[in-house]
Every structure is written in C-alpha cells, then in structure tokens.
Amino acid sequence: MRSRYSAFVFGLTDHLLLTWHPSTRPESVEMEPGAQWLGLEIKDHRLTGADSAEVTFVARFRLAGRAVRQHERSRFVLEGGRWWYVDGDVR
C-alpha cells in the first residue's frame, strides 16, 4: 500500500502496473498533472481470507489549489509470495 502511494507521489506508473493483479490491471495509468501529494493515513487493515486482505486509507493531495481527500478501501490478494492490488472502492 505504501509503495503504491509513493508511486503516485513520484509519478512511477510502471510500479503501479507491476503491483496490480493481472486480472484487473489496466493497460496504462494516467496521473493527475500538477497533483501535490500531502500524506497517506492507513485507517484499517484486515485479512479477509487466507490469501486476501483489505486496506482502508485516506490519501491527501492538492490539485489546482484545492485540497482533495481520497478515501478508499483497497483489496489485495497474496499470490506467489507477493501482495497484489486487485481493486478498490473510492468514497
């Protein structure tokens, strides 16, 4: 989760795609031009199965002078010893 947030901060779209589960991975990721990332707060995490988990977080950023909070519950699966991002619900 933190490495994916860092990828947004530094514009590392390749890292985002490499950590995305192949079953849901898009062909490309578009970054918000001019976004200034301000912080990540992990609100909750829990195992949902032997090889699955959810992480609830709030990521804060500023875009065109406006403060934005992205509140998301992300789903991950463990395969081959690695955690993969599957999808998430954004509020």
Side-chain angles (χ1 to χ4, degrees):
M1 183 67 243
R2 285 180 175 88
S3 76
R4 289 181 56 82
Y5 171 79
S6 295
F8 277 100
V9 171
F10 295 109
L12 304 174
T13 56
D14 288 347
H15 179 74
L16 290 172
L17 293 171
L18 288 172
T19 58
W20 212 309
H21 194 271
S23 68
T24 58
R25 180 187 306 138
E27 287 191 30
S28 63
V29 176
E30 297 294 322
M31 296 289 189
E32 278 290 345
Q36 178 188 6
W37 292 90
L38 304 172
L40 172 69
E41 181 181 356
I42 305 296
K43 295 289 198 176
D44 186 37
H45 64 281
R46 66 185 183 101
L47 291 176
T48 56
D51 297 324
S52 59
E54 290 181 346
V55 176
T56 302
F57 69 90
V58 174
R60 296 180 304 106
F61 61 99
R62 187 169 300 283
L63 187 60
R66 188 173 143 253
V68 180
R69 290 172 47 95
Q70 179 173 325
H71 190 156
E72 181 174 328
R73 181 179 27 197
S74 297
R75 285 174 283 283
F76 293 85
V77 293
L78 179 63
E79 289 181 1
R82 287 183 57 183
W83 285 101
W84 300 86
Y85 173 78
V86 176
D87 62 14
D89 299 320
V90 178
R91 292 193 242 163

